Amino acid sequence: MHHTGTRHERAARPLLGVVAAACLALCAWPSAGRGTAPAGDLTAISLEDLLHAEVISAARSPRPLPDTPAAVFVLTRDDILRSGAETLPEALRAVPGLQVARIDANKWAVSARGFNGRFANKLLVLVDGRTVYTPLFSGVYWEVQDIPLDDIDRVEVVRGPGAALWGGNAVNGVINIITRRASETPGTRIALRSGTETSGLDMRQGGALGPTAEWRLSARYSDTGEGVNRQGDPAFDGWTILQLGGRLDWHPARAGEVTLQGDVYGGEAGQTYRVAVPPPAFIRLQDDQVSLSGGNILCRWRTGREDGPGTVLQAYFDRIERHDLLTGERRHTLDIDFQHRSFAGARHDVVWGLGYRYTRDRLDDSAVVSFDPDAEDDNLLSGFIQDRITLLPDRLFLVLGAKVERNDVTDFEFQPNARILWRPEPRAALWAAVSRAARTPSRAERTVRYDSAWLPAGALGPGTPPALVALVGNPDYDSERLTAWEAGARYAPAPMLALDAAVFLNRYHNLRSFEPLPARAEATPLPAHLLAPITAENRFKGRAWGAEISATWEAAPWWRLTGTYTYLELDLEPRHGSLDTVTETAEGDSPRHQASLRSSMDLPGRVSLDTWLRYVDELPSQGIAAYLELDLRLAWRPRQGLEVSVTGRNLLDPHHPEFAPDILDTVPTEVERSVYGRVEWHF
């Protein structure tokens, strides 16, 4: 499944693929009339409709965006399709306050308001209410979140703490990926893409089961070629994955709505590890092919209207399995969540709920990584309540809420928040909030041993033998905690212009530090050596502050411009006598400035032109320079249901680095300039 062939052969594939797909679509031309356009026109939804779209992630119930006292950005389906992105992380680059960086061809670092990394542990990611982070590292394996982008209705991104509703790890933000109802995806869809760096095929079939039920089945295959190193030579990081999914929505009479959905996936991803080996070699580069597989099934029963009083009962089962050079992970998760919404008089809108999650894992050891124990069960009980109080009808609202969790590691966590929103006029909204959140310890932080580096004889003192540096878990490691103050404003001074701004101050306590422990003699692995253990402690504190601004201008009915700007300052410092000299460098892992400008045009002849200019500031601690990049997408819809497009990405530079890995020492690669073609057919 790994990409093979020369770079010239890979460059020729896109033209062959697009020609083949175009021929297939044109041969079926007579039957294509039942379809709908794959990508929406700007005129299909007005700017006013976008500004008043309902979001659920900030309140766990639908709420118009102007009435939401949080920093929320909604990435619509049309935004995603017109961005030219072929993966979800690439589309997320459009969100202010997020840092999205590619580590290699199959790995991303995605975070909100700093602390970025492959396993960014302060960002909670959900797909239709299902948590997709792994407790092993408290992060997200983005390479297996290969959701068909046309099946996504919208992505709601809440910057700032969401722990009062969503619980632990929703510290700096929440990303909620909401897929489309089956009723919105009828008929057949085929999309073929091929390019210099990526190729793949999406297929979907949907329909109705009588008057009360709709269904769909989806398949997505993605094949991404190798990246390049700094010299421009091919690396070993190609990536292939196949995902199959389905959804059934049933509306029984007087019984609300029942949704049953699930996915299975399998694939492999290349990477190159820097593996610690005994002297005299000290380090060895080793190519590794990661095996990826998993699946999930979710059932949700909703009574009452979605925007009114009612109950939601949701349960899902999730299984993941992955094996690489360092370890293997098999994990099963069962989650049950109950939520009820009611109105108490004209002033109180109350949402409360209870939840239970059970996780069982089994981890495989290798020569350099081991876990003690190698299998573990974890239980999480939770409850939350939130009351939205109307102080002045249509003008002033107070939101009070809190979530209590009981887990097997840190026992109880209490995470409250208070928010206030004022509407001085229909076109404006001002809001402020104060919140607390906690990031619970990961499995690795508590139970791992990772032999990360060998040091030569004498490194720890005159006459000392070689030394092995190892990261070792700390069973007493505690939760990291945050207190956050936020404020924001939304204003639409004219029907064609909308502004959104947020500022924040975050104070972190009990942040992770890496503390050395006393060295001790160890006989194995050979040669005899000193073990220099380093463990996780809560001996750092910090603060972050910044601003996030977005503006949307509908310059004409056929032309929309969206600009964003993000400013971030991160200040970390040790406490309690910390000897850590590494954590403070995380200040330089996040760009101080980020900006983007997107232009979307609907031109005559059913042609769309989308332009996206992005600027990301330097990462001083990683030696990565600032970069400016340009993406272009040109699409033509010769008839209803058929679209042909060509996209160029990262056009201003042959290749450039974006991020370096943390903790797990894989070799990073650089993001290349790429071009791909796409044919999409609905019927």
Side-chain angles (χ1 to χ4, degrees):
M1 299 175 70
H2 190 65
H3 246 284
T4 58
T6 68
R7 298 182 61 80
H8 295 291
E9 291 170 336
R10 283 166 47 195
R13 290 193 190 117
L15 299 178
L16 297 175
V18 171
V19 169
C23 292
L24 175 65
L26 293 173
C27 288
W29 186 288
S31 62
R34 298 187 301 274
T36 58
D41 298 331
L42 294 178
T43 54
I45 180 170
S46 68
L47 178 59
E48 184 177 358
D49 291 335
L50 289 174
L51 297 178
H52 289 80
E54 290 190 332
V55 296
I56 64 173
S57 304
R60 292 193 67 152
S61 58
R63 180 70 56 191
L65 184 58
D67 292 340
T68 302
V72 182
F73 189 92
V74 179
L75 197 64
T76 68
R77 170 176 167 262
D78 196 61
D79 290 334
I80 296 171
L81 296 179
R82 299 190 66 144
S83 72
E86 283 301 318
T87 63
L88 189 57
E90 289 171 345
L92 290 173
R93 295 181 191 268
V95 180
L98 285 191
Q99 181 194 355
V100 179
R102 196 163 183 171
I103 300 171
D104 63 24
N106 59 74
K107 299 180 186 65
W108 285 266
V110 182
S111 185
R113 297 180 174 176
F115 296 96
N116 202 18
R118 183 187 175 193
F119 303 108
N121 55 29
K122 296 175 180 59
L123 179 69
L124 183 67
V125 181
L126 308 166
V127 178
D128 289 324
R130 175 176 58 88
T131 300
V132 297
Y133 86 101
T134 169
L136 181 60
F137 294 105
S138 292
V140 176
Y141 292 120
W142 287 101
E143 61 267 34
V144 299
Q145 310 306 324
D146 198 35
I147 305 168
L149 299 184
D150 191 68
D151 288 355
I152 296 175
D153 178 67
R154 64 191 186 278
V155 180
E156 299 178 0
V157 181
V158 181
R159 290 110 56 200
L165 292 173
W166 300 105
N169 305 308
V171 177
N172 281 5
V174 177
I175 296 177
N176 193 5
I177 303 156
I178 301 170
T179 61
R180 303 165 72 186
R181 297 176 184 271
S183 60
E184 299 172 343
T185 55
T188 302
R189 172 182 177 265
I190 301 173
L192 178 65
R193 61 192 185 279
S194 188
T196 56
E197 300 302 322
T198 183
S199 61
L201 175 67
D202 290 4
M203 301 182 68
R204 184 180 69 214
Q205 183 69 48
L209 292 175
T212 61
E214 300 86 24
W215 63 275
R216 75 159 170 261
L217 296 174
S218 300
R220 177 176 172 89
Y221 173 73
S222 298
D223 185 356
T224 300
E226 302 92 342
V228 296
N229 58 25
R230 287 183 179 271
Q231 291 72 41
D233 299 323
F236 189 81
D237 59 349
W239 166 53
T240 59
I241 191 165
L242 173 65
Q243 177 163 318
L244 306 175
R247 175 165 175 155
L248 174 68
D249 292 320
W250 178 40
H251 316 275
R254 291 179 291 183
E257 179 184 58
V258 177
T259 297
L260 181 66
Q261 64 188 84
D263 304 276
V264 294
Y265 66 86
E268 56 186 25
Q271 59 187 2
T272 301
Y273 270 116
R274 295 186 181 99
V275 182
V277 295
F282 292 101
I283 194 169
R284 180 180 72 243
L285 294 180
Q286 185 165 340
D287 293 340
D288 178 39
Q289 198 75 277
V290 187
S291 172
L292 312 167
S293 64
N296 63 83
I297 185 168
L298 179 148
C299 183
R300 180 171 53 250
W301 176 33
R302 181 189 306 277
T303 65
R305 297 194 320 172
E306 189 174 11
D307 58 351
T311 299
V312 180
L313 178 62
Q314 175 178 286
Y316 69 80
F317 174 77
D318 189 291
R319 173 189 172 274
I320 69 167
E321 184 168 352
R322 58 187 293 134
H323 299 275
D324 69 8
L325 179 68
L326 297 191
T327 188
E329 178 185 8
R330 291 175 293 277
R331 182 173 302 278
H332 299 84
T333 301
L334 174 65
D335 186 284
I336 302 173
D337 186 82
F338 171 83
Q339 175 182 311
H340 180 72
R341 182 185 185 190
S342 61
F343 299 111
R347 292 184 175 271
H348 297 272
D349 181 351
V350 180
V351 180
W352 64 274
L354 301 171
Y356 170 71
R357 181 178 303 157
Y358 168 77
T359 300
R360 177 173 178 79
D361 66 30
R362 184 170 183 83
L363 307 174
D364 298 332
D365 296 342
S366 67
V368 295
V369 173
S370 60
F371 293 87
D372 184 19
D374 60 4
E376 187 174 82
D377 296 350
D378 287 309
N379 297 273
L380 174 67
L381 292 167
S382 64
F384 79 91
I385 186 169
Q386 177 171 282
D387 186 8
R388 179 184 174 92
I389 306 166
T390 301
L391 301 178
L392 294 174
D394 299 323
R395 292 180 66 84
L396 187 62
F397 304 90
L398 176 66
V399 179
L400 301 174
K403 185 158 191 170
V404 178
E405 293 184 321
R406 195 277 175 189
N407 62 71
D408 292 342
V409 179
T410 61
D411 208 10
F412 285 95
E413 300 287 354
F414 178 62
Q415 301 171 100
N417 77 354
R419 300 176 181 271
I420 191 166
L421 182 138
W422 176 41
R423 299 291 304 271
E425 60 168 291
R427 299 176 301 168
L430 302 173
W431 62 270
V434 58
S435 313
R436 289 182 58 191
R439 199 276 293 181
T440 54
S442 70
R443 174 81 146 91
E445 288 167 325
R446 296 182 289 107
T447 65
V448 75
R449 171 170 167 169
Y450 173 30
D451 296 344
S452 59
W454 282 89
L455 302 178
L460 298 185
T464 58
L468 175 59
V469 179
L471 300 178
V472 297
N474 178 2
D476 297 323
Y477 184 69
D478 200 3
S479 295
E480 299 179 340
R481 293 184 171 85
L482 164 70
T483 302
W485 292 265
E486 303 173 88
R490 298 184 181 93
Y491 184 46
M496 300 304 169
L497 179 63
L499 307 173
D500 193 337
V503 295
F504 66 92
L505 171 62
N506 291 349
R507 291 193 176 275
Y508 299 93
H509 306 277
N510 286 4
L511 286 177
R512 182 179 65 195
S513 61
F514 294 99
E515 305 294 340
L517 298 175
R520 63 179 186 270
E522 192 175 59
T524 58
L526 293 174
H529 58 274
L530 288 177
L531 176 66
I534 298 175
T535 193
E537 296 278 1
N538 301 98
R539 295 188 181 180
F540 253 70
K541 63 180 180 179
R543 59 177 181 167
W545 66 95
E548 301 144 353
I549 301 170
S550 65
T552 302
W553 178 38
E554 202 163 86
W558 49 271
W559 185 18
R560 182 174 295 160
L561 293 165
T562 301
T564 66
Y565 171 72
T566 300
Y567 175 78
L568 173 68
E569 286 281 359
L570 184 61
D571 181 21
L572 304 176
E573 59 180 284
R575 63 181 184 89
H576 299 324
S578 172
L579 300 177
D580 184 329
T581 59
V582 176
T583 298
E584 200 165 358
T585 63
E587 296 174 354
D589 289 343
S590 299
R592 179 172 295 179
H593 303 281
Q594 292 187 96
S596 76
L597 178 63
R598 288 182 292 150
S599 168
S600 297
M601 295 181 177
D602 288 334
L603 303 176
R606 296 183 177 180
V607 173
S608 298
L609 176 62
D610 300 289
T611 309
W612 189 2
L613 190 65
R614 298 179 282 110
Y615 171 78
V616 179
D617 205 0
E618 64 176 345
L619 305 182
S621 65
Q622 299 185 15
I624 293 178
Y627 58 88
L628 179 70
E629 278 300 355
L630 175 68
D631 299 340
L632 291 174
R633 176 180 179 269
L634 182 66
W636 174 47
R637 294 183 291 278
R639 59 160 301 165
Q640 185 79 359
L642 179 65
E643 181 179 86
V644 181
S645 64
V646 177
T647 300
R649 301 185 60 81
N650 302 297
L651 296 176
L652 301 184
D653 198 5
H655 53 87
H656 68 271
E658 291 190 350
F659 206 82
D662 53 346
I663 302 180
L664 295 183
D665 197 6
T666 58
V667 176
T669 59
E670 302 198 353
V671 177
E672 296 178 86
R673 176 188 295 143
S674 63
V675 178
Y676 73 88
R678 180 186 184 94
V679 174
E680 186 169 343
W681 180 35
H682 290 237
F683 62 96

